Amino acid sequence: MFTCSFQATFWGLSFSSKSDKLKYVLTPLMESQLFEASFQTVSFSSYLRTVYKSTLFERVGLIRAGVPCGYFYDTAQAMGVSLADLARSLGVPLSSVYSIKSKGSSSQKKSLSNQIIGIHLLIGQVQNLVDECGDPVGFDAAKWLGGWAFSANDALGGLRPADYFDTVVGQGVVADLLAAIRYGNYQ
């Protein structure tokens, strides 16, 4: 049996071969430096690029720490959709968005963070597609995704891609559809 032991840490996540368990470790210093400070000083578009290029370990840490509530509003604004429409597409009551902002429930923040990071990854996927295959000058990936996702789509039987935002699997369906667009299979 292979018994080499190791320990690795990625953005507040610690993995040890001895325990074979991934556990969340976030020191107050890391929390303030990586999450609070960076969210306040980094532009939303820079944040989107960072999330798309982040590792799975980093995304888990981000979800566990909770995406700042303001980013929910920033996402709706960047996509050119109403806060109510975005919340509805994510299957989150609008009252929950307001409740998280005022009360800051950590379990609600995790749930909402998981949902909203999925949308951020889709925005990043669109930007990456245009960067690699199109002309990114003047292109707004979030705005494009907002217009496309909230319109009926024949590839989805007339449903809107946004109708799939409420689950991780549904967001995967949308990601697959975006990948198909890249190769000219759908519109």
Side-chain angles (χ1 to χ4, degrees):
M1 177 177 211
F2 187 73
T3 59
C4 182
S5 117
F6 67 92
Q7 177 141 12
T9 303
F10 306 93
W11 238 34
L13 295 172
S14 177
F15 180 80
S16 170
S17 63
K18 289 181 181 177
S19 66
D20 286 335
K21 291 183 181 175
L22 186 66
K23 66 180 185 175
Y24 179 63
V25 178
L26 188 64
T27 66
L29 178 61
M30 287 172 66
E31 184 175 65
S32 64
Q33 288 180 342
L34 290 175
F35 299 108
E36 292 172 17
S38 64
F39 283 141
Q40 292 171 3
T41 59
V42 172
S43 73
F44 184 65
S45 60
S46 294
Y47 157 79
L48 289 174
R49 280 190 297 279
T50 301
V51 168
Y52 183 72
K53 293 178 180 182
S54 66
T55 67
L56 293 175
F57 293 113
E58 291 168 337
R59 291 176 195 165
V60 169
L62 187 58
I63 290 166
R64 287 181 174 162
V67 173
C69 232
Y71 279 17
F72 193 92
Y73 301 96
D74 291 342
T75 302
Q77 184 177 21
M79 292 176 73
V81 301
S82 73
L83 186 59
D85 284 344
L86 182 59
R88 196 172 17 262
S89 72
L90 292 172
V92 178
L94 190 55
S95 60
S96 291
V97 175
Y98 293 127
S99 173
I100 291 169
K101 185 172 185 172
S102 64
K103 297 176 187 164
S105 164
S106 60
S107 64
Q108 286 180 327
K109 275 187 178 179
K110 282 182 191 178
S111 174
L112 184 56
S113 292
N114 193 39
Q115 296 289 84
I116 202 69
I117 285 175
I119 302 306
H120 296 161
L121 292 172
L122 292 172
I123 293 169
Q125 182 180 355
V126 169
Q127 186 62 55
N128 188 57
L129 187 153
V130 172
D131 287 347
E132 291 180 359
C133 303
D135 183 10
V137 177
F139 181 76
D140 187 334
K143 204 65 94 187
W144 183 89
L145 184 67
W148 176 78
F150 286 86
S151 301
N153 190 297
D154 291 339
L156 298 173
L159 294 175
R160 307 170 315 155
D163 295 333
Y164 290 87
F165 284 175
D166 61 334
T167 66
V168 173
V169 173
Q171 289 177 0
V173 167
V174 175
D176 289 348
L177 185 56
L178 288 170
I181 289 171
R182 176 184 197 142
Y183 298 105
N185 296 333
Y186 295 106
Q187 295 182 17

